[in-house]
Amino acid sequence: IYAWVVQAGSRPVLEWFAARPMPAFALFGRQSQLPMASLATLKSPALAEALQRLVNLGHRRIVMLVREDRRKPTPGLFERRFLEELERLGIETGAYNLPDWEDDSQGFHRCLDSLFRHTPPTALLPGEPSLFFATQQYLLGRGFVVPRDVSLVVFDDHPAFDWFEPEVSRLRTDIRRRIPRVVQWVENVANGREDR
């Protein structure tokens, strides 16, 4: 018997697995409302707290940078929550706050160039560690100092962040705490029990 654990799957990938009879488990990704076993981190409370803190510090030009599968065909739940929370805090939202860009390095850098050309963001929220590293490298190459010139907040963790000074503003997660749920699912599948 084959069983799949799909980590951080896009919506089309997870829909494909959910439509098949083979057992599949979505570990993070765009799994909301799909008929399959899944596990995700509830990030919305941390997002609300972080945005409140940024606004309290005077930030008004706050931008979330996420890959295309998080924006299209419609923004994901977390991205919608980001825009709703900005509105709740009195910040009008639009394409500036959740910009569209081609999902490659050149597209990402063109997006950053465009953002910093006229109304530079004061806070950037890269959607994953790889985008955090690319954003930080971009800012360093143009003489920006984090957090003096631009604040960066990332909502996924990475082991490299433990080595940063100053500390990376991030949502800390411990994947080891999630392993028992995945193991339970594997045991259910191995014993012929359906677990969605």
Side-chain angles (χ1 to χ4, degrees):
I1 186 167
Y2 290 97
W4 294 84
V5 175
V6 183
Q7 183 172 347
S10 67
R11 188 66 178 197
V13 167
L14 294 177
E15 286 173 345
W16 186 89
F17 277 101
R20 303 291 182 283
M22 64 187 162
F25 186 98
L27 185 60
F28 312 121
R30 290 196 68 177
Q31 49 30 315
S32 179
Q33 307 297 317
L34 288 177
M36 65 188 303
S38 63
L39 185 128
T41 301
L42 184 60
K43 298 178 183 180
S44 293
L47 174 66
E49 186 176 331
L51 290 175
Q52 182 68 62
R53 176 130 171 86
L54 288 170
V55 168
N56 289 349
L57 290 170
H59 293 277
R60 305 295 295 170
R61 296 188 311 273
I62 303 170
V63 174
M64 181 178 278
L65 299 165
V66 294
R67 291 185 184 269
E68 187 174 45
D69 68 308
R70 299 295 314 169
R71 300 185 314 267
K72 294 179 179 177
T74 59
L77 185 62
F78 188 68
E79 292 73 20
R80 288 192 314 267
R81 176 71 177 167
F82 164 71
L83 295 171
E84 291 165 3
E85 196 61 30
L86 287 181
E87 291 279 348
R88 188 188 70 74
L89 293 167
I91 298 173
E92 286 188 42
T93 62
Y96 175 84
N97 304 100
L98 190 64
D100 194 26
W101 48 279
E102 290 179 44
D103 201 4
D104 59 28
S105 175
Q106 294 82 15
F108 185 68
H109 284 85
R110 280 192 299 273
C111 174
L112 289 171
D113 286 341
S114 173
L115 287 169
F116 282 89
R117 189 169 298 123
H118 301 293
T119 52
T122 59
L124 292 167
L125 286 69
E128 60 189 68
S130 59
L131 296 179
F132 172 90
F133 296 128
T135 301
Q136 187 177 52
Q137 185 268 341
Y138 175 91
L139 295 170
L140 287 170
R142 283 146 185 86
F144 292 99
V145 177
V146 175
R148 185 192 71 203
D149 301 319
V150 181
S151 292
L152 287 178
V153 181
V154 64
F155 289 91
D156 283 329
D157 209 353
H158 190 281
F161 292 157
D162 293 335
W163 294 84
F164 278 63
E165 284 292 330
E167 185 176 350
V168 173
S169 297
R170 68 192 189 271
L171 176 62
R172 284 187 171 81
T173 55
D174 185 356
I175 190 68
R176 294 171 298 184
R177 295 180 58 208
R178 276 116 176 132
I179 292 172
R181 173 61 183 119
V182 178
V183 170
Q184 176 191 28
W185 176 79
V186 169
E187 289 172 352
N188 286 341
V189 169
N191 291 317
R193 290 191 297 270
E194 186 173 338
D195 183 348
R196 290 184 175 256

